[in-house]
Structure formats: C-alpha cells, structure tokens
C-alpha cells in the first residue's frame, strides 16, 4: 500500500471506539497512533502512555505535529459529553466549520494530524459526523468506505440491555470462553397493546436508520457551499422522504393500521408515546422517552442557543402553505420567485428543510428542523430538568419514533400542495410512442407467479468497534428483520419501430384502502413506491426484459447493512472487489411485509424515452460505487434522471383518470400481485423458501463462528420453520 | 481467623460485583471461589474457567456441593435481568421465600454453598436483598457489617454519566495512569427553573437514601414471622417516615418552598416531574422519568402479577381514614379491634404499610405499597411499552422523587387522624416532678451561641465494588452534600429532690411559617424534628449536661456513609474496633440547611422520668453496634423508650396550649436558635469554620491518595471558601 493509501485508511481508524483515548489501539488491526504530546490531556502527556495500553508489537504510526492548528474554537465549544444534533443550528454551525477545516487541509498527513487532535479533544459525535462528510467529499479520501455509524455508536441502534451484555461477552471472548450472539428481540420496545408497535420492525430497522443517517451525510444541509449545493438536493429531500412515508403507510396497511396522520395541529397532545430503550453512551444519558399525549411547548434553552415558540412554527407553516399554494416564494431581497415545473420543488425543498440554500430564512424559517427539535424536547422544553432531546433530535435515531412519520406527513403535505399547482401530465407527456408494455410477471422460488413472499430473518452484526474499553473480541448482535424471497421481473415490451432506448420504471402500490374499498387513483398514486428504475435497449417488436430484485436502483446490498466486510477473508475472489456506497435503501426492506393471507397490491411498469430522461453532464461517475441512485443520486454528478422525481405519480392525474387503469398509456401496464407473509424466522446463513422451509445458504452467520451450541439448536429446526419468538 | 469467621466473611464477598459470574475474583482481597460445576451455566462448566480469570496466586475457596439444593423454584422465576421491587407483592413473596431458606440453613458452609448457587443463577437484586436481610438476622452472621447497597449497585445512587466515566478511569488506574475523582454535581438532575429542584440535595443525598434502604432491611414487611414481627414495627414505620417528612418540610421552608402537599386526589395530574438520570445496570434499563402532569391509571401488568385499579386505592384510602377516625379496625374474622393508646398506632402502621402483620388485607388492602407502584408505573400502566417502574418503585431510590413526599404526606395524614382521636397529654403526664430545665445553649466553632452553621462538603466514595467487569482499581465518586459545624449542647437542669435519672429529649422546629407568621403550635408540633435522646443522671440541685452533636441517637457516623472502612489500615488503633450498624440517619444531614441570612428555629429540650421510659425486657443488646435507636430501634431488642414515638408532640395539645410556650411544663424549655448557611464548599479532608474558612482535618480525602494535581488546586483555595460550582 502506498503511504498515501495508508494515511487514508488511518483516517478510518480514527473513527474507531470513539470514547477511548487515542493512544489505545485503534481499528481492526490495532493501530497505535503516536500523537504529538501537545494534543493530549495533561495527565496523558507521558511518552510511556501508549506502551501501557498497546498489545501490539508493531511500531506506532507517528503523526505529524503541525506548527499551528487551524482555528478550532467553535467546534471545541461543544462539551465532550454533550449530545450532538444536526437539527440544532448552533451544532450545525460547529459541524460546518469543522467540515470546512477538514476539506481545506492540503495533505493527508496534515488531515491526519488535525483529525487526531480533534478526536482527542472534541465531542465524538461531532467529530464522527464531520469526518464522515469530509471523507466522502475529499478527492483523496472519497474512495474510502465510511463504515456504518452503528459500528462506532451501536447505542444508537441497539437495545441498551444487549449492549451491556455485549461488554460482558467481550470479556468472556477475550478469555477464550465461548461467546453467544446476543439476540435483539423484534419486540423489545413495546407490545401489541400499543397499536403503533405493529410497525416497529420498520421504524427500528437497522438498515432503514442507517440509510437515513447516510443520506444526510451525502446531503448535508449546511457546510461549505460545494458540499451542500448538489443537483436537485431540495427535490431529493422531498422525494426520498415521500417514498419512506409511502413505504411506511403500506406497512401500516399490511398491519391493519390506518395511514399516518399529519401532525398539523401543533397545540394538540401527541397521542403516540415512544420509549426507545436506547442509551447515549457518549452523552452518558438515556434517550428520553415521550409519554403519550405530551403537548409541544415553546423551546427556551439558551445553552443550546435554542429559543423559539410554537407560534414561530405555526407562522412558518402558514407561510410555506401559502408559498406552495400560490406558487410564489419571496426571497430575502423581497423578489418573487415562481415555483415552476423545473425548479419549484427544489426551491421549496431547501426552504422547507431548511437547508443553507433556502432563499429566505427570515420569512420561511426552519420548519422541518425545528419541528424535530420541538418534538424532541417536548419533555423538557426549558431545560429545567437538564434533559437532552429524544430520538427525534438525532438523524441516526429519529425514524424509530412514530411521530417522525406524522411530522414528515405535514412536510410532505406542503410539497403535495405545490405539486397540485403544476400542470397535469398530458397523454403526450406520458406516452412513449410505439412502445407498449405487454406483460409483467414476477417469479420467485416456491411462490406462484406475481406473489412476493416475505418472512423474518436473523442476521448478525459485529459490535467490536463500538465497545469502547472492552477487550477487542468479536461480539455479535443478532437482529431479527423483515426479509423477502428474491424474485425476478419478466417484462415484455413491444417496440413498434426502430431500435431505441428506454427507462423502465417499476412501482408497487396497495390495491384497497383501510375500508377494504379500491383506492381512488388520487390516493393510490401517493402510495406508489418505487421498486426499480433502469435503462433498456429495445429491439424492434417483442422484447423480454429480465431483472432480479437484488439489482434494484433503490437499494444497497444486504451485506452493506449486516456483513462486516473486514471479516471477509481477502482470499475469496470477488469479495475484495465488492464495494458499495453506504447510502441506499436496505435490500431486505425492498418489499413491504404484506399479510399471511396475501396482501393485495398492484405492480406498475412504465417505459419512458431514455433520450428524454438522460442527463447530459454526468461528471466523473465513481465506478467503484454500487449505486442506489433513486434515493441517493450519484456522487459528484447530476441526478441521473431528468424526469421529476416520482414521475409519473408526482402530480394530480389528468381529468378522467380516476382509476389507475384509466391513467395508463400504452407504455404503461399493471399487474395484480400479492404479498404473502410467512411467520417464520430464518436463522443467519439460511433463507426461507415457501413450500421448502428454511434452507442453508452454505454461509455461516457471523456470530456462529464460535457458537457451536447455538448452531446445533438451529440445525435441528432447519426446514421446519421457527415460530416467531416473543419474550 | 477461625474457619467459621472466614466463611462468614466469604458471604460478604458473594455480594461483590453482582453482575459478574462468580468465578471472577470477588471482594477487596480477590477471593476465588471454587463453585460446584453443577451450579454454573453450561458454557462455564470447565475446570479451567477460574484460572482464566484469576489474577491471584492464592488457592480458590472450594465450596461444598450439597447433595440437593433447597426448593428455589419461586425465587428463580424472576429473570436475571428483571428489575426487582419489594413493592411488588409477587417479588416480595420470592424474597420472603429466599430469606426463609437462607435463615434455615444449618451451617455456614451450607449457607455459602446455597448462596453461591443463588448468586450465579438468580436476579442479583433479589439475591442481594435476601442475603442482606439473612446476614442481619442469622445468629452466626449478625456480627458482620453489610456494606451499603451503593457499594454494589452504585447505579441506584450515582449519576449514570459519572458511572460511565468511572469505568474509563478504572482502565486508566489499572495501567498506572493518574485517576481523577469523579465529581457529581449537586445540580445534575435539574435546575432552579424547577422549584422542586431546590431541595434535590436532600432528596438525592446518598446517606438519606442508604438510610431508607437499610431501614427496610432491618424492618422487612414480609418474610418469616420472626423477622418481620419486631417490637412496635408499625409504629416505627409511622414515626421514621413522619420525621423524614418533617425534615423535608424544614428544608423546603429553608428554601422558600411551601410544605409538601398530600397526594390526596388520585385522579389529578401529578404536577411534579422527575428525571432521575440513573441507569439500572442489572435491569439494563433506564430508570423511567415521569413527565410533569402525568395522571395515574389502573395498573394491569399480569407479567408482574400486578393488577389493581385506582378505585382500589381510593377504597382503601376511604376505609383507612374511617378506621383512623373512628378508632376501630375490623380484622379478618370480622372482629372489631380498638385503636387504643398503646397499640393503636402499631396496628394502623402495619395496616397502612401494609406489612404481613396487617390484621385485614382484604378490607384495608395495600395502600402504601401499591401507591408506590401506581406512581412508579404511571408512564406505562399496562406494560404496552415494556417499561419498568421509575425510582418510586425501589426502596433504594424512591426518596429521590418529589412525589415520594407527597405520597407519604397522605399516609402520614391518616396516622395523624388516628393520633387526634387519642386523649391529649395532661400536665401530669408531661411533667417530671421537681425537675426543671433552666437553660439551653448550643455552641460550635466560629459561631455565636445558639447558631447552627451549615455549608457544602465534598466527600469521596469508592466505586470499585460496583464496577463489574472493570479492573479493580479504586475509582472515587466525589459527592457534594450538606454539612454542619459540629456543636455542643449545654443544658442546665435543676433537680429539686433526690438523685434521679431522666431522659433528655431534644427537638428542633421552625419558628415562622411560609407567610412569615409565627407557627400555631398545632402546626409547629408536626414539624418538630428529633435531634437527640439520651439518659442522664440528675444530682440534686443544678446539673449541667454537655453533649456533642455527633453523639445523636438519630444518626450513624459520617464514616458509615462515605468512608470505605476496608481502606483504613488495621494498624491504626481504634479504627479497627470502630463498627456500626448501617441503619440510621446520616450525621451530615442532622441539621437542616437554613438560610444565608439565618433561619429562625426553636430548640426544645424536655427531661422525662427514665423509670417510666425504661423498657424491661431489653434482650441481648449488641454492644458492637453504634446505635441510632431513634429511627432504627435496637437489634433483637424492644424499642428502648416506652413513650409513644414522637412524644410529646404526637398528639393534639391540651386545651389552652395554643403556642409552644403555653405547652411547656417545668421539665421542658425552649431556646431560640438560628441556622445559618454558608455557600462554601469544603473539599474532602477539610471542614469549614465560620470566620476561619476551610481548615484541613489532616485526613486525606480518599480520592486524593493518587490525585496530587487536584489536591494542589484545592490547597490554593483553602481558607478562602470555594464558591459553589454549577456546571
């Protein structure tokens, strides 16, 4: 490895075990950093200090001592044990400053040196965030894969009870005692007495929460202009969240819950309580719970520079609705900006979020972010109880809370108001002349045609990087999450003309509403979830397109969520080259849960003209990165689809199109489908196939490497289908 | 040491580090237990297991393998990671069974063996409680000092943030890095925006909470009859809690808060919120917070066998008031029991608490205990959120919560209703013929006569026994708590007759109420707090009695709360013999805080006839035990004062005694006094003296043994008075 490449990797080692002093071995290979003594706390200024903690015989990596450090005053103001939140404007300014510094350092050696100082002297959450954004955006580090946040801050993702036991297991493992993977029950935060708990498997899914965190790393809402001002970022903010809401609503319908209600009235008690059962190890505080029926109150917490009223939120809400409904925004110079078909949604997105790209913060405020804060602090709005925010205040955890969806339904509603002012798509705009979708079918092992099969799966994640101060033995958390049987699309397309290129767009929607009645198209279109989008070459006449579910443009592979890549031996060909970007919907959550009796859904396929979709300036696309472009765009490039995001369902349908069938043009087609849920749990390293039961994949679950006892038990149950365990 | 004495000490070692497996070294000397393999989890059944964890070269203590274990089925039903509460009847039954088993084992070797099995396989909190009660009550172990619960479960007493840092410090200490004592801010649970926070120093005091826990160890409310049926236990339940309330109310008055209001209406929102900032390491769950204005709801949690309605509490409340006001209780056979002067309060106490001595549980229910539960579970009454109780549900933590005092004011009110039905004390009953108290004066260093001086003091407690799995290096938590300058009473008594013996009773009360008006005696008597009670020999004519505040019959010495006795070298003469029982009010909380301008109080002294006070059957009094008899009675003996507890203030005063002055008989006297609070903080190993500042005592704070840096800083500030630090 070149020195430069090594330095880059050391940056990742600096993220490891964030609460330990830097002189303890770091990273999976136990790197010892030789940090300039000036960077250390007084009591650690002792040249012997690293020797006392080192278990390695390799020489320390001596870091450069800079003649002077950059001005770190602002980010150093956040106490080390405080909780950091990007929703807090003061914290955001600190992060922006730190990102700017990291991006501005000329060499990797300088960056390493400054980073080592920051790691030792700064709040670990702030440090991790700024480092992650900088690594993703620096030309000399963008090839690195930033490990998921759950590696370093497992407390944001994992039941506190399990984490405590993990520390015990690490001690056992270190002394050669067999360690057990630690089961995280699906039902650890609530019971079915609480209706909202029925969809906890979605809200608390590791992959979904990692996706949300990573999305905001890729699309920071403040910082240096070149980092935030990405192509169509405001629109993507709208679309990604709209799709998450649609997905959540289909999960709700699958579980006999009504769709989420907007949090429109800020003075009414919030019915939904949430008890996250998470710790904040860095902040050394529990994540606060929200009791049912809590009322929002004015926020007055000068320590965090957070002072605003519920009336502020109400005024911003009123103005944003007015902007969306009139199609006119007033910028900070008093000039009127029209929210037109091309840029309107993007301007509105930046205004609503609000990102630093907002055209008028004074008038339209900071509705989305401060709403998160108002809800996240409703248990202690004036800081009298010295409490920090609840999970709603942290991007890494906010999707766990039922109220997240209620809040975003409000934000989404304002976007919908804007979209409803835009011209409806005409048949000419929708059609792709001469191209007809003639057939759609999906197939998967053990299921009839057009049946999606879902079930529970257990997967292991290694906690070793986040168990600060514990011996570095592998300890696995065993998650139970939704899974589906992989499937293939077979789409037949008739091309009545010359060879051409098209974009295939695949969506899924529910067929019937809460009352058991068929959806009106006006409602159904809002529940259309994107499954895939890809280009095709169309030969004249009949074309048969085959595509596997794992190729989805939405998702990142299962391994990105659960597999610990560093554990995969390099000798396995192919695996070493396997790389991915962390942003993307988790593959295992591609298909909603459905119901045991079969949930009625409709598959929608449309082919559009690739020439009209293509974006000219594609920049330098990073070929190493397995792309999940639909939600995440392309790194350093324009969003790779010129159509409005959510097309063709983002606008009110043309007059007369009252049902999905009536909406179809020849280049679209639909297929009724069923989502059948099997209440079985497949152990790690196995899959479930309807009619055949649980089948080994030949790969071991990670936690099983030392867990013979556990494996035997599972072996006995193989093929019979374990019943879901609730305890 | 004899083999028997050693075995007894090993029992205490079994309490050490309750969440570790038994085969890790235990106790301050690192005892290795050789436990029968059958007692261990399967994966630990390996004869090498102890070697892997042992750091000691001494031989393991091999424990006897019993041919068969007693029937432990009931206590084994509580999951290891559940939270245990004596307020839950189901848990109480488990504890009673386990205590009975421990008390019934014939030899210490058998007890050790069974205890080792229980430690390894049972819930650690249940185990600790049953062991503590058994050790206190077994003849062959009663000489042992049960270490305070805070040693083993520091998470019930110490800010979770500090505990987390303590683990880090233990790692540093273990590697020879200077460790820092961990400051626990006085203001870590709230700010002065919350009026109730002004008295947090009382509610959250380590000594007060340890006292309350220890009191309930000495007076369990169920278990084997010989353990619960102690002399006047129901009355002591009344008196000890009444005195704590009076003390709390004087602290409130000192802080310009009104007296606590009874929680009389169970349907009204509980205004006071409480955010304890504690973890439950064993239960691996946060202690739930209670948001302000939470409403009590019916409890329906079958998993804990807890199903009762708020209506149940209301019915019991109504019946108990009726019993108190009519002076008649109906027992379970339908017979009427009169609540008379001698036994009435005791019967009512057992009925109200309720202990197993209640005469009719069906009719009078379990008001006090289930009230604790209803409040402790109001955030999740039907277990839908899988939450455990808040601090109100644990005897070790309940006094931290403002609502504890509101609840006990209700209980106390029912006792007062009973007391108001009793005949008023006549002058003849109150007087001690020929004995006159002619003068009262208190004096202390640096203060004028009759001035109490209070200030803040820092003290250290060693956390090493409670940091399970961490290296066993000393880590100190540094508490800031109230303290007073020690003082002497000088009481002059004229004995107009033969030599005789008397009992001196000293009380303190506030002089003016919330409105600044002098108290009516009827109110003032309820705020009389006992300071001391002791026998005197009275010679004819003038007697001058001198007594030091540290001799109080109420308190246990400061060292019982903060000093780690095992750290005191045995070579120091006198110290090795120093012993105490753990039950008693903490010495440092003897005198209420008062105010900087001087809080107006009145000292009351009364001498009664010892011959009338003396209890005949005193049993075998344990002379090793430094007694705090006023709140705790005497171990294995009758309560050593025949007068009703709280005498002479426990009843409505005679007609005409509308002021304290009017109430006085010649054997009583009063002295106006002032409590002056100095807002300085004396570091560990120092005291504050008004006019002289902070003075070293020559003893080091425990945390200072390795903390030179810290000590230097404090040395510079000595004598100047540190300002109270809020951060």
């Amino acid at each position: 490895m070149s020195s430069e490449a090594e330095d880059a990797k050391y940056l990742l080692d600096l993220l490891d075990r964030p609460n330990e002093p830097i002189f303890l071995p770091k990273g999976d290979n136990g790197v010892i950093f030789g940090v300039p003594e000036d960077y250390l706390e007084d009591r650690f200024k002792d040249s012997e200090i690293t020797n006392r903690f080192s278990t390695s015989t390799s020489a320390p990596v001596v870091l450069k001592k800079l003649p002077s450090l950059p001005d770190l005053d602002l980010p150093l103001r956040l106490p080390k044990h405080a909780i950091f939140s990007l929703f807090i404007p003061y914290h955001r300014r600190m992060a922006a400053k730190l990102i700017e510094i990291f991006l501005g350092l000329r060499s990797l050696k300088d960056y390493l040196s400054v980073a080592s100082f920051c790691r030792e002297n700064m709040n670990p959450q702030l440090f991790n965030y700024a480092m992650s954004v900088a690594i993703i955006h620096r030309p000399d580090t963008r090839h690195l894969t930033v490990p998921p946040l759950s590696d370093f801050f497992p407390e944001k993702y994992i039941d506190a009870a399990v984490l405590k036991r993990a520390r015990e297991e690490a001690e056992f493992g270190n002394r050669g005692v067999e360690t057990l993977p630690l089961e995280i029950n699906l039902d650890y935060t609530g019971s079915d007495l609480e209706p909202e708990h029925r969809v906890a498997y979605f809200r608390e899914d590791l992959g979904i929460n990692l996706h949300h965190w990573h999305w905001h790393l890729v699309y920071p809402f403040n910082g240096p202009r070149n980092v935030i001002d990405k192509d169509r970022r405001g629109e993507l903010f709208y679309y990604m969240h709209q799709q998450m809401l649609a997905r959540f609503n289909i999960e709700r319908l699958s579980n006999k819950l009504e769709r989420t209600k907007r949090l429109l009235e800020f003075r009414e008690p919030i019915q939904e309580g949430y008890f996250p059962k998470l710790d904040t190890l860095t902040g050394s505080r529990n994540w606060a719970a929200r009791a049912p029926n809590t009322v929002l109150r004015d926020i007055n917490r000068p320590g965090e520079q957070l002072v605003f009223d519920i009336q502020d939120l109400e005024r911003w809400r009123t103005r944003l609705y007015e902007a969306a409904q009139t199609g006119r925004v007033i910028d900070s110079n008093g000039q009127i900006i029209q929210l037109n078909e091309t840029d309107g949604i993007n301007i509105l997105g930046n205004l609503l979020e609000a990102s630093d790209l907002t055209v008028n913060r004074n008038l339209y405020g900071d509705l989305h972010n401060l709403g998160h804060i108002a809800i996240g602090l409703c248990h202690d709005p004036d800081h009298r109880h010295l409490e920090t925010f609840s999970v709603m205040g942290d991007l890494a955890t906010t999707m766990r809370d039922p109220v997240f969806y209620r809040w975003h339904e409000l934000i989404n509603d304002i976007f919908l108001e804007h979209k409803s002012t835009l011209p409806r798509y005409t048949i000419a705009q929708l059609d792709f002349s001469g191209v007809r979708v003639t057939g759609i079918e999906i197939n998967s092992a053990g299921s009839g045609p057009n049946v999606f099969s879902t079930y529970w799966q257990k997967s292991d994640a290694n906690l070793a990087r986040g168990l600060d101060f514990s011996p570095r033995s592998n300890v696995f958390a065993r998650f139970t999450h939704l899974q589906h049987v992989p499937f293939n699309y077979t789409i037949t397309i008739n091309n009545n003309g010359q060879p051409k290129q098209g974009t295939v767009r695949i969506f899924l929607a529910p067929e019937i509403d809460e009352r058991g009645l068929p959806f009106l198209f006006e409602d159904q279109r809002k529940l259309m979830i994107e499954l895939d989008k890809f280009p095709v070459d169309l030969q004249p006449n009949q074309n048969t397109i085959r595509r596997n579910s794992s190729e989805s443009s939405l998702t990142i592979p299962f391994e990105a969520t659960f597999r610990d890549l560093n554990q995969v031996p390099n000798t396995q060909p192919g695996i070493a080259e396997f790389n991915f970007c962390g942003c993307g919907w988790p593959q295992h959550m591609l298909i909603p849960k459905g119901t045991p009796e079969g949930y009625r859904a409709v598959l929608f396929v449309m082919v559009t003209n690739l020439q009209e979709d293509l974006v000219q300036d594609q920049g330098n696309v990073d070929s190493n990165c397995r792309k999940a472009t639909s939600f995440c765009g392309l790194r350093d490039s324009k969003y790779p689809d010129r159509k409005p995001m959510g097309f063709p369902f983002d606008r009110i349908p043309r007059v007369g199109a009252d049902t999905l069938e009536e909406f179809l043009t020849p280049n679209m087609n639909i297929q009724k489908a069923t989502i059948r849920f099997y209440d079985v749990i497949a152990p790690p390293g196995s899959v479930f196939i309807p009619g055949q039961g649980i089948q080994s994949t030949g790969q071991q679950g990670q936690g099983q490497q030392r867990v013979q006892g556990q494996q035997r038990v599972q072996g006995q149950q193989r093929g019979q289908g374990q019943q879901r365990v609730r305890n």
Side-chain angles (χ1 to χ4, degrees), chain A:
Chain A
M1 211 165 3
S2 72
S3 153
E4 176 120 326
E6 272 188 352
D7 287 344
K9 287 209 78 170
Y10 293 146
L11 283 170
L12 297 185
D13 290 329
L14 285 178
L15 302 179
D16 188 66
R17 300 199 155 197
N19 298 300
E20 287 180 358
I22 192 168
F23 46 78
L24 271 70
K26 289 286 168 298
D28 299 327
N29 301 319
V31 171
I32 306 284
F33 287 104
V35 187
E37 219 176 74
D38 293 3
Y39 293 5
L40 298 176
E41 240 180 89
D42 277 351
R43 62 174 173 155
F44 298 138
K45 283 179 179 161
D46 163 358
S47 55
E48 291 300 301
I49 193 93
T50 56
N51 296 342
R52 296 196 191 153
F53 286 90
S54 173
T55 50
S56 142
T57 51
S58 52
V61 175
V62 177
L63 301 185
K64 183 173 167 182
K65 182 178 168 185
L66 295 180
S68 72
L69 285 166
D71 177 9
L72 294 162
D73 180 55
L74 181 60
L76 279 170
R77 279 187 216 162
L78 188 65
K80 276 187 100 161
H81 293 280
I83 300 192
F84 167 73
S85 169
L86 282 169
F87 292 120
I88 300 179
Y90 185 39
H91 292 189
R92 254 182 264 161
R93 287 198 298 279
M94 295 176 182
K97 176 73 182 169
L98 194 55
I99 291 168
E100 192 186 315
I101 289 168
F102 286 160
L103 291 178
L105 291 164
R106 269 184 251 164
S107 73
L108 273 178
K109 292 230 182 294
D110 287 8
Y111 183 13
L112 257 178
S113 175
V114 173
S116 74
F117 174 85
C118 293
R119 181 194 152 105
E120 195 58 12
N121 295 283
M122 261 177 209
N123 180 284
Q125 297 184 59
L126 166 60
F127 174 73
N128 178 288
Y129 173 73
M131 284 287 281
S132 302
V133 173
I135 290 171
I136 288 175
H137 291 90
R138 268 181 81 102
D140 52 359
T141 54
R142 33 168 292 180
H143 64 284
L144 295 174
T145 300
V146 176
L149 192 65
S150 52
D151 272 16
F152 308 123
F153 297 96
E155 70 269 22
K156 296 187 186 222
Y157 298 90
I158 289 177
D159 183 1
V162 167
L163 264 189
K164 196 204 138 231
R165 285 169 52 211
R167 298 191 163 274
E168 303 175 8
E169 292 297 324
E171 298 285 344
F172 296 144
N174 188 46
R175 286 167 168 99
V177 180
E178 182 190 46
T179 65
L180 304 175
L182 299 163
E183 291 276 349
I184 299 179
N185 281 329
L186 209 41
D187 295 320
Y188 75 96
T189 58
S191 71
D192 284 346
L193 273 184
E194 169 59 45
E196 292 296 324
H197 182 68
R198 292 183 215 159
V199 285
Y201 67 88
F202 180 94
R203 287 187 276 106
E204 293 166 1
D205 184 78
L206 177 65
I208 285 179
N209 281 283
L210 283 174
H211 160 68
H212 187 243
W213 162 77
H214 208 115
W215 191 91
H216 283 278
L217 279 189
V218 179
Y219 293 98
F221 42 76
N222 76 340
R225 194 79 181 186
N226 63 328
V227 166
I228 38 170
D229 197 2
K230 296 203 170 76
D231 183 45
R232 296 169 73 183
R233 61 132 11 256
E235 182 178 6
L236 194 51
F237 172 78
Y238 144 70
Y239 181 61
M240 198 276 288
H241 287 89
Q242 182 271 323
Q243 282 287 297
M244 294 200 307
L245 290 170
R247 289 180 161 272
F248 185 59
N249 278 325
I250 300 180
E251 300 292 351
R252 295 179 70 85
L253 292 169
S254 298
N255 285 282
K256 315 224 183 312
L257 292 171
E258 63 184 324
R259 281 165 279 176
T260 313
K261 290 210 181 80
R262 289 168 301 167
L263 188 68
L264 189 63
E265 294 291 349
F266 300 164
R267 311 279 175 172
E268 283 179 3
I270 299 174
Q271 210 183 327
E272 296 83 359
Y274 186 63
F275 293 77
K277 318 261 189 295
L278 297 178
D279 268 355
T280 56
L281 293 187
T282 301
S284 299
R285 284 283 177 251
N286 306 332
W287 283 107
R290 185 180 58 258
N293 299 314
T294 304
V295 177
L296 301 184
R297 308 224 178 260
D298 296 343
I299 300 295
N300 184 357
R301 299 171 54 115
E304 290 148 347
Q305 302 192 7
L306 276 179
V307 181
F308 63 91
D309 301 335
I310 300 304
Q311 275 200 13
D312 286 320
L313 299 181
E314 288 173 337
R315 279 188 286 267
W316 298 335
R317 180 190 61 195
T318 301
R319 289 172 192 160
L320 285 160
Y321 266 112
E322 185 176 327
Q325 286 165 337
T326 60
R328 293 148 55 106
V329 166
I330 299 165
D331 74 9
S332 51
N333 300 318
Q335 300 300 308
I336 288 173
I337 303 174
Q338 299 291 337
L339 298 179
N340 61 20
E341 281 187 78
T342 31
D343 282 341
I345 186 73
N346 196 43
I347 291 167
L348 191 60
N350 286 318
L351 206 62
L352 246 168
E353 187 175 4
S355 78
D356 271 6
L357 304 177
T358 175
V359 296
N360 193 344
R361 190 179 294 277
N362 286 336
L363 189 60
Y364 300 102
D366 200 4
L367 181 65
H368 158 257
N369 291 325
L370 293 190
H372 269 269
I373 288 294
I375 301 169
L377 290 173
C378 62
H379 57 291
D380 191 19
D382 60 9
H383 212 193
R384 68 176 56 207
H385 295 294
L386 306 182
E387 286 286 301
T388 55
F389 43 77
S390 67
V391 293
M392 265 298 273
D394 188 327
L395 287 167
T397 54
T398 182
M399 287 188 70
R400 310 177 86 83
D401 191 330
V403 80
F404 170 88
Y405 304 89
R406 294 199 57 198
W407 182 244
H408 272 275
E409 283 287 357
L410 169 72
I411 305 297
N412 193 51
D413 192 52
I414 301 175
F415 284 123
L416 291 182
E417 288 293 327
H418 158 65
K419 286 282 188 176
S420 72
T421 67
L422 300 181
R424 307 174 182 204
Y425 294 120
T426 61
I427 291 180
Q429 282 175 307
L430 294 169
D431 199 16
F432 184 7
S433 179
V435 173
R436 291 172 61 102
V437 177
T438 52
I440 308 167
E441 187 170 295
I442 73 120
N443 289 284
S444 63
S447 310
N450 301 316
V451 176
F452 299 98
S453 299
T454 64
Y455 60 98
W456 299 121
Q457 168 118 52
K458 290 190 183 184
S459 298
D460 297 339
N462 194 348
L463 302 178
R465 290 169 175 172
L467 297 177
D468 303 49
F469 291 101
S470 287
R472 208 173 183 99
S473 49
N474 291 330
V475 178
F476 292 90
R478 179 157 289 174
F479 293 85
T480 302
H481 56 83
L482 191 62
Q483 185 60 291
H484 57 272
V485 179
F487 57 89
N488 285 297
Y489 304 92
T490 310
I491 299 164
T492 49
I493 301 172
N494 196 289
N495 173 16
N496 180 17
Q498 294 301 307
K500 49 181 74 106
Q501 291 177 301
T503 305
V504 177
R505 300 166 190 271
I506 309 180
F507 288 84
L508 184 77
E511 218 190 336
I512 51 170
D513 71 7
E514 293 90 339
R515 300 164 193 85
L517 301 176
F519 268 112
L520 283 184
F521 180 57
E522 174 54 16
D523 287 334
Q524 193 179 29
R525 71 176 179 92
K526 297 171 189 163
L527 295 170
M528 280 283 178
I529 56 171
E530 184 175 334
L531 294 186
D532 207 347
K533 180 164 66 177
F534 54 90
V536 280
D537 290 319
L538 297 172
Q539 301 307 318
N541 302 320
Q542 190 79 352
N543 293 266
T544 301
I545 314 292
R546 289 205 171 74
R547 173 97 168 170
N548 188 263
S549 55
S550 66
E551 296 172 85
S552 168
S553 62
L554 215 77
T555 58
I556 51 171
F558 182 72
E559 288 77 5
T561 304
F562 287 109
R563 185 114 335 155
D564 183 355
L565 285 188
N566 288 12
Q567 299 292 316
V568 178
N570 276 324
T571 49
Q572 254 181 275
I575 299 272
E577 284 185 31
F578 174 86
N579 203 349
F580 52 83
C581 295
C583 185
W585 193 250
Q587 178 68 33
H588 64 273
M589 296 302 284
L590 180 64
I591 299 298
K593 184 178 168 205
T595 59
E597 65 273 21
Y599 183 71
R600 289 164 61 183
V602 57
L603 257 175
F604 169 92
V605 175
M606 177 184 198
V607 186
T608 55
N609 187 344
L610 186 73
Q611 295 315 310
E612 293 173 5
D613 301 335
L614 264 188
V615 172
Q616 295 310 314
D617 175 21
Q618 271 298 146
N620 47 346
V621 176
D622 185 339
S623 67
N624 264 341
C625 192
R626 165 82 166 74
K627 290 154 211 83
T629 54
S630 291
F631 283 179
C632 298
L634 274 171
R635 187 193 270 181
D636 304 321
S637 302
K638 288 199 168 171
Y639 190 81
D641 179 2
R642 221 193 305 162
K643 291 274 189 301
M645 296 181 200
F647 176 87
F649 299 115
D650 63 317
R651 299 193 192 167
I652 295 182
R654 66 188 182 276
V655 175
D658 293 332
T659 65
L660 177 56
E661 287 78 3
E662 290 169 344
F663 178 71
L664 302 180
T665 50
N667 59 325
M668 309 180 193
N669 211 336
I670 56 174
Q671 169 63 53
K672 292 200 175 185
T674 303
I675 310 174
R676 193 177 295 277
F677 170 70
Y678 294 85
D679 196 3
V680 296
I681 305 179
S686 72
V687 296
F688 168 76
I689 298 172
Q692 299 174 46
I694 292 166
Q695 309 281 316
S696 169
T697 58
Q699 295 175 331
Q700 279 192 315
Q702 297 186 78
Q704 293 180 300
Q705 289 160 14
R706 14 193 350 165
V707 197
Q708 290 76 23
Q710 179 82 0
Q711 208 172 13
R712 273 199 302 277
V713 173
Q714 287 169 353
Q716 290 159 7
Q717 294 176 322
R718 236 169 236 171
Q720 300 163 26
Q722 264 179 285
Q723 286 308 302
R724 180 174 176 193
V725 180
R726 292 173 188 267
N727 54 9

